[in-house]
Amino acid sequence: MGLAIGVCRIQLRLPENHSLKGKRQVLKSLVARLHNKFNVSAAEVDDHDSWQIASIAIAYTSNDERHANQVLSAVVSFIHSERPDAEIVDYETEIIR
């Protein structure tokens, strides 16, 4: 056991979005829900000027690598099932010890 930091970068496609303002609203809501439900840190990290593409990073710290990985997997599943307006294009997860 020891400190484990889980980081997940997710690229989303927002096909129904038609403005940067709309994108910010979607991401603000999503980031708040992820923080409240999973106690993770999340932020937009790339694709700031694109209306329909968003890249967010999620970070979670734990004393167990498996637990950090489980939480990040649950976050990806949550986005997939609860946010049909945000299609997951790609994601990658890394656990840092």
Side-chain angles (χ1 to χ4, degrees):
M1 297 258 182
L3 177 64
I5 301 168
V7 179
C8 183
R9 182 182 173 122
I10 303 174
Q11 186 175 44
L12 303 169
R13 190 169 79 84
L14 310 169
E16 298 174 17
N17 191 49
H18 300 290
S19 70
L20 289 174
K21 182 177 180 181
K23 175 184 172 178
R24 283 192 305 269
Q25 290 173 336
V26 169
L27 292 180
K28 184 176 179 180
S29 170
L30 178 59
V31 165
R33 288 185 71 190
L34 293 176
H35 177 73
N36 290 336
K37 184 166 180 66
F38 299 101
N39 196 28
V40 296
S41 295
E44 182 179 12
V45 293
D46 202 358
D47 302 309
H48 299 286
D49 295 328
S50 175
W51 296 354
Q52 295 185 334
I53 298 293
S55 294
I56 60 172
I58 297 107
Y60 184 76
T61 57
S62 176
N63 61 353
D64 182 12
E65 289 180 49
R66 284 180 299 178
H67 179 61
N69 195 40
Q70 288 171 343
V71 169
L72 293 176
S73 293
V75 166
V76 172
S77 295
F78 174 82
I79 295 171
H80 180 73
S81 65
E82 298 293 322
R83 295 305 303 248
D85 59 332
E87 173 190 327
I88 297 174
V89 175
D90 191 23
Y91 72 95
E92 60 182 304
T93 302
E94 182 179 358
I95 305 296
I96 303 164
R97 287 183 260 174

